[in-house]
Amino acid sequence: MKNARAISAAALMMLVVLSCTASPSLARPVVESKTIVDDIEKCWAAVIGASGCIQDVFSSFFTGRISLSPQCCVAIEGISDNCFAKIFFFLDVSFNPLLKSFCIAQGGATPPPTA
């Protein structure tokens, strides 16, 4: 069952990446499109480096129960809201703050400075 979930998550991620990289190049000049793709790749790099993090994020979203590893929390904390919106654009915009709050509560990430 877990393997099927991982395969489903991987297939969904492939569709997301393809949709992000294909549609901008059809409507914009190649140079601008390349910049967008480079930005998305940089955003993905933070999450991909944490083993199982992408699956944890999707599982948390679809089950409604957040469950992230400490390594995933570090990766999530390192993702700006702008990056989160680029790589998980189909998720509710309020989901990123929920993940970050979970990680802070678990001690896997540090809270933002208050000013």
Side-chain angles (χ1 to χ4, degrees):
M1 180 71 170
K2 187 170 179 133
N3 192 22
R5 225 191 256 176
I7 291 170
S8 296
L12 182 59
M13 293 310 302
M14 181 64 80
L15 289 173
V16 169
V17 170
L18 289 174
S19 68
C20 290
T21 59
S23 29
S25 65
L26 297 175
R28 297 185 178 133
V30 174
V31 174
E32 187 176 335
S33 168
K34 180 165 175 26
T35 302
I36 292 169
V37 171
D38 289 346
D39 287 347
I40 292 170
E41 286 177 355
K42 289 176 188 173
C43 293
W44 273 116
V47 180
I48 291 173
S51 180
C53 190
I54 294 170
Q55 292 86 354
D56 289 349
V57 170
F58 280 110
S59 177
S60 295
F61 181 76
F62 290 117
T63 64
R65 293 181 49 215
I66 298 176
S67 178
L68 305 173
S69 70
Q71 296 84 6
C72 187
C73 279
V74 170
I76 292 295
E77 188 212 30
I79 299 173
S80 69
D81 291 340
N82 187 33
C83 264
F84 193 89
K86 286 180 182 177
I87 60 178
F88 297 115
F89 62 89
F90 49 88
L91 298 180
D92 188 324
V93 294
S94 64
F95 195 60
N96 185 24
L98 289 175
L99 293 177
K100 288 186 178 189
S101 294
F102 171 85
C103 291
I104 290 167
Q106 299 301 310
T110 56
T114 55

